[in-house]
Amino acid sequence: MIMTQNERRIFLIKELLREQPRYSNLKIPADVQEQRSLLRSLFNIRMPIPISQEFLAVQDAYLQEELRRKGITELSNLTPVQEGIYLWQGDITTLSCDAIVNAANSQMLGCFHPCHGCIDNAIHTYAGIQLRLACAELMEQQGHEEETGKAKITPAFNLPCRYVLHTVGPIVQGWLTKKDKELLASCYRSCLALAEKNNLRNVAFCCISTGEFHFPNDKAAQIAIQTVKEYRQETHTKMEVIFNVFKDEDDKIYRRLLGAD
């Protein structure tokens, strides 16, 4: 039986509530937007534990339809601002390319804060619960938290891209230090090297560390562009790079630095 999007959402909410005895008496709201927020919250707080194939099938159909309705952007429809370099303002979870970069935390399990506005939350929400399970498996194999400046790769599951590169950016506390700058540059180099190792043709970077981690936006953009250009020159790679921005502020900064006005 083919389910409607509303039926899928209610099914998923009920199944996730069943896992959470403390919310057993929670009434599912009638309002569709409130249902979406509740489902996202339940995705966000769910620990990386197994779940049924039936759930995953319904979840996958639901998330893919949600992303389709948001609108998928194909990299082939974008125009480079410089050779091999693109600037794109939009929702990175809707970009169809080889890989997108997630600004992760050292746990590498995604954001557990319900409906939080960080990119880590958005990517894990729309990829589906398989992404947290994949990250948990990587972290169990590693045996310790992820170091700042390194990178890991996972499938993208329900996202329109093929892979997600996860990197932990530096947290800026007070004055910006030389070490902060070196670690941010390392995030970009690690992601590029990992993408190259996996024969990826293109990778989309978010503005690593500029949100909750308080790296100054203009300095972060300078480091991002400089590191990418140096890597391309040193390695002679043909891999394309997309600088993804969401805020108007970042769009203006990158346009100025890339001469894209």
Side-chain angles (χ1 to χ4, degrees), residues 215-230:
F215 207 106
N217 298 58
D218 55 344
K219 296 288 192 300
Q222 290 169 11
I223 291 168
I225 292 169
Q226 180 182 342
T227 306
V228 164
K229 287 188 172 182
E230 286 176 354

Side-chain angles (χ1 to χ4, degrees), residues 76-123:
S76 58
N77 291 332
L78 301 182
T79 303
V81 294
Q82 293 183 13
E83 185 183 353
I85 294 178
Y86 296 77
L87 175 62
W88 178 65
Q89 184 176 19
D91 178 351
I92 202 168
T93 66
T94 64
L95 183 61
S96 177
C97 60
D98 275 1
I100 63 173
V101 173
N102 178 31
N105 57 51
S106 59
Q107 276 188 297
M108 286 279 287
L109 297 179
C111 172
F112 283 86
H113 297 285
C115 297
H116 193 255
C118 69
I119 196 165
D120 198 15
N121 187 295
I123 287 173

